[in-house]
Amino acid sequence: VQAFRRIDPVGPSKSDYLFITPLAMDPSDANILYLPAGRKFYRQDQLGSIQLSGGWDTISQGWTLFPDTLTAGEFSAVSVSQTNPQHRVYLGTSNNKLFRIDNAHQGAPAFTALPSPLTNNAANVNCIAVDPRNADRIVVVYSNYNIYSLYLSEDAGATWKKVGGNLEAAVGGSGNAPSIRWVNIMPQPNGKTRYFCGTSVGLYR
């Protein structure tokens, strides 16, 4: 490291952030970063203009605070689409809430609340994987034990279906199954798709 600058926004305190804070770069614009902070959501859109001055203070340059906030829980997952369409953000929370923001790269658009595939308000959304070829196609990952953990939507979060397969001990989510932590969607040159799933007991595909 030859130069650095602290770049988190003015406003949030240390306690607002999760121990492992979710954040996501916009794959369509290297200047844009999306950052949840507790119940608030920020966008940084001037990454390339921030001077690496060695400063240790928070900054205001480039940060936009979205007006919509949570009334309970906190943001626990964020993911950004690559194409069809670009600049779409999906958000998940620690209390089983899901949101979508279309054209999140400009202005401060409102959140669209999505129906959850679960009714358990203790369910933690740990990851949202977006298909790089189709932003309507997403996988939501719940990290809790004793609940069904993997759900697929092919209509931008309007409807869901279970896709846990043999990573789940039972269709109802009960039993001695691992905690699911993460999913990545990898398109193949032959047009097929591979899904890589990280769990508490190893990596699967």
Side-chain angles (χ1 to χ4, degrees):
V1 176
Q2 296 178 323
F4 69 90
R5 178 68 169 96
R6 180 179 172 180
I7 65 167
D8 51 305
V10 174
S13 65
K14 180 180 178 180
S15 63
D16 289 324
Y17 295 100
L18 295 179
F19 179 71
I20 300 176
T21 299
L23 55 84
M25 298 286 295
D26 192 321
S28 302
D29 190 332
N31 282 308
I32 298 179
L33 170 75
Y34 300 97
L35 176 70
R39 296 179 178 179
K40 298 180 179 179
F41 186 63
Y42 291 83
R43 181 188 67 239
Q44 165 62 246
D45 54 19
Q46 297 180 23
L47 282 176
S49 301
I50 297 173
Q51 297 299 309
L52 302 182
S53 61
W56 289 99
D57 292 330
T58 56
I59 66 172
S60 58
Q61 178 187 345
W63 285 109
T64 296
L65 171 62
F66 285 70
D68 286 352
T69 61
L70 299 177
T71 57
E74 54 192 346
F75 290 114
S76 55
V78 57
S79 191
V80 190
S81 67
Q82 184 170 324
T83 188
N84 295 323
Q86 297 175 325
H87 311 299
R88 175 184 285 172
V89 170
Y90 289 98
L91 291 163
T93 76
S94 61
N95 64 337
N96 192 27
K97 297 293 188 294
L98 294 165
F99 301 92
R100 189 183 73 236
I101 310 173
D102 295 318
N103 296 311
H105 65 301
Q106 56 188 5
F111 298 172
T112 298
L114 303 175
S116 170
L118 290 171
T119 58
N120 183 349
N121 286 335
N124 180 72
V125 181
N126 202 64
C127 169
I128 303 172
V130 184
D131 191 319
R133 301 160 300 186
N134 179 3
D136 287 345
R137 199 164 191 276
I138 60 174
V139 174
V140 163
V141 179
Y142 292 97
S143 59
N144 311 62
Y145 291 99
N146 294 316
I147 63 172
Y148 201 95
S149 299
L150 292 171
Y151 292 87
L152 170 72
S153 175
E154 298 184 289
D155 50 15
T159 60
W160 301 93
K161 63 181 178 181
K162 294 179 175 180
V163 291
N166 63 3
L167 287 174
E168 300 287 351
V171 175
S174 61
N176 188 24
S179 167
I180 311 298
R181 308 292 173 81
W182 206 264
V183 165
N184 271 348
I185 302 173
M186 181 177 291
Q188 301 297 294
N190 61 5
K192 295 184 178 181
T193 304
R194 282 186 176 173
Y195 299 82
F196 291 89
C197 184
T199 78
S200 58
V201 296
L203 179 66
Y204 297 85
R205 72 172 170 89

